[in-house]
Amino acid sequence: MTELTPERSRRGSWRGLRRTLVLGLAGSLASAGLVALTGPSAHAADTLGAAAAAKGKYFGTALSTSHLGESQYAATADAEFNMVTPENEMKWDATEPNRGQFNFSGGDTIFNHATSHGMKVRGHTLVWHSQLPGWVSGISSGSELTQVMDNHITNVMSHYKGKIYAWDVVNEAFQDGSSGARRSSPFQDKIGNSFIEHAFQTARSVDSSAKLCYNDYNIDGVNAKSNAVYNMVKDFKSRGVPIDCVGFQGHFNSQSPVPSDFQSNLQRFVDLGVSVQITELDIAGSGTSQADNYAKVVNACLAISKCDGITVWGVTDKYSWRSGDTPLLFDGNYQKKQAYTSVLNALNG
Ligand code: XIL
């Protein structure tokens, strides 16, 4: 008995015949100009969100309620992105402006806009020294401030329980420069080092479905500050303090360029057992150099399977928090910049 080689079996089978017929038919239709021969796998995605999704990642933007009423702003965001971070609306001064009085109107506006357009939401941010109401900084007792912090985390996270992809639980708790020390803040100064792990523990107990991130800037390459964050994450992992991700804000300019060790720095965090996310990306500049820097960041994330995704800090240059740097992907008229094309090509690459 002759054994069928894979080749013979394929040629001899009905499946093979059907395939030949189908391909033949498709070929004739294509030459008649009726169908394109490129299948879905060969088709490059034409939005940032779709291109990132094809690589198992998300591509997000910060959104602000101040501009949602502008049709091009909303239309650009809705078309291109699949993750949203409220730019200011979930910060402490917005959600608990007075002690015990919670206000979710801005946060809900962003949340509802995002989810009704198929986008997920990153929660930003629960514990941060900035955009913090005066009544919080005015509390002098550490134990009282701990209670206030717990109450804030509990109320905000409960309101969005089960609906947030990831929370920036603590934002910017470390100093810049060579000290590797914690930044002075009401939380650090009155509660002490333990405020961060306490915040993460409380966060986990309120909503176990959200990824819990520590988020900071100037930690993109290996330096004293990123070493300090690295050591904290390592310590948390060794003691079972819940932490799932580290957010790298990624605010770049000529003084603080995309470092050459960006990817290896992300990787060392992943090796500790957390995922990494680029959470507030914007890169000062224009033209080819800006486009190349954007591609560097995207390629670093693509190279790391546990880089969950990238969020740019705004839709259009004209509403960027540093609009003078023209750091985003769309110009003030919502035209795609060279940086946009570079990001899309990198995602499709
Ligand atoms: C910025 C917003 O973009 C501005 O609109 C606001 O006036 C100040 O905050 N790090 C963060 C973000 O974590 O929340 C900051 O967003 C930018 C720096």
Side-chain angles (χ1 to χ4, degrees):
M1 208 170 89
T2 16
E3 230 181 56
L4 285 178
T5 63
E7 177 61 12
R8 275 202 201 151
S9 113
R10 198 166 56 232
R11 277 206 198 143
S13 73
W14 247 113
R15 222 155 120 234
L17 181 57
R18 215 174 57 204
R19 187 165 173 270
T20 313
L21 290 173
V22 168
L23 283 179
L25 178 63
S28 336
L29 288 174
S31 49
L34 294 176
V35 292
L37 259 186
T38 44
S41 58
H43 179 70
D46 52 12
T47 67
L48 304 172
K55 296 282 160 64
K57 315 223 180 261
Y58 64 80
F59 205 96
T61 183
L63 272 192
S64 162
T65 48
S66 319
H67 313 302
L68 262 188
E70 188 175 310
S71 57
Q72 273 188 299
Y73 178 86
T76 306
D78 301 346
E80 291 290 342
F81 301 99
N82 56 7
M83 181 71 76
V84 163
T85 304
E87 186 168 355
N88 292 297
E89 292 77 356
M90 291 187 189
K91 293 172 181 175
W92 199 314
D93 60 354
T95 51
E96 194 185 4
N98 300 301
R99 188 165 179 166
Q101 292 177 6
F102 289 88
N103 181 342
F104 298 110
S105 58
D108 288 354
T109 299
I110 300 289
F111 180 89
N112 292 334
H113 182 92
T115 52
S116 66
H117 291 87
M119 300 182 267
K120 293 185 183 170
V121 177
R122 291 190 85 261
H124 176 77
T125 175
L126 296 166
V127 182
W128 188 27
H129 65 274
S130 187
Q131 294 177 272
L132 185 69
W135 70 264
V136 183
S137 348
I139 294 169
S140 50
S141 141
S143 59
E144 187 181 352
L145 186 56
T146 303
Q147 273 175 15
V148 160
M149 182 179 81
D150 280 348
N151 189 52
H152 182 76
I153 294 172
T154 302
N155 276 274
V156 177
M157 287 186 80
S158 296
H159 182 77
Y160 296 105
K161 186 171 176 169
K163 301 175 180 172
I164 297 287
Y165 170 76
W167 269 106
D168 290 329
V169 178
V170 174
N171 199 30
E172 302 182 352
F174 285 85
Q175 271 179 37
D176 291 313
S178 57
S179 72
R182 297 288 188 86
R183 173 199 294 275
S184 163
S185 75
F187 307 103
Q188 180 66 34
D189 300 349
K190 289 155 198 164
I191 301 173
N193 278 348
S194 66
F195 90 88
I196 302 185
E197 63 191 85
H198 192 93
F200 275 86
Q201 260 144 358
T202 302
R204 180 70 99 223
S205 74
V206 178
D207 185 355
S208 61
S209 72
K211 292 193 189 214
L212 305 181
C213 301
Y214 175 79
N215 193 51
D216 215 327
Y217 66 93
N218 277 351
I219 58 167
D220 313 287
V222 174
N223 58 40
K225 188 175 177 181
S226 68
N227 285 344
V229 175
Y230 177 88
N231 288 331
M232 176 187 76
V233 174
K234 191 173 178 187
D235 171 51
F236 281 13
K237 282 287 171 191
S238 76
R239 291 189 294 115
V241 177
I243 183 167
D244 305 305
C245 35
V246 174
F248 297 76
Q249 293 184 8
H251 295 297
F252 298 112
N253 56 30
S254 52
Q255 284 80 53
S256 134
V258 182
S260 55
D261 58 355
F262 183 51
Q263 185 182 318
S264 54
N265 186 49
L266 296 180
Q267 186 63 53
R268 73 171 174 150
F269 279 89
V270 166
D271 293 343
L272 291 177
V274 288
S275 68
V276 294
Q277 304 176 359
I278 317 302
T279 52
E280 305 181 15
L281 180 61
D282 54 10
I283 307 180
S286 61
T288 305
S289 79
Q290 184 180 47
D292 289 350
N293 279 315
Y294 263 104
K296 253 191 235 170
V297 173
V298 172
N299 285 325
C301 183
L302 287 175
I304 295 179
S305 63
K306 283 190 73 184
C307 179
D308 299 322
I310 298 172
T311 299
V312 287
W313 204 240
V315 179
T316 160
D317 280 343
K318 72 174 166 176
Y319 297 142
S320 163
W321 73 308
R322 41 192 202 128
S323 58
D325 288 343
T326 61
L328 295 172
L329 302 178
F330 292 86
D331 71 14
N333 298 313
Y334 297 97
Q335 297 304 299
K336 293 170 178 172
K337 294 165 60 180
Q338 200 177 327
Y340 171 94
T341 310
S342 164
V343 167
L344 186 64
N345 289 343
L347 290 171
N348 278 323

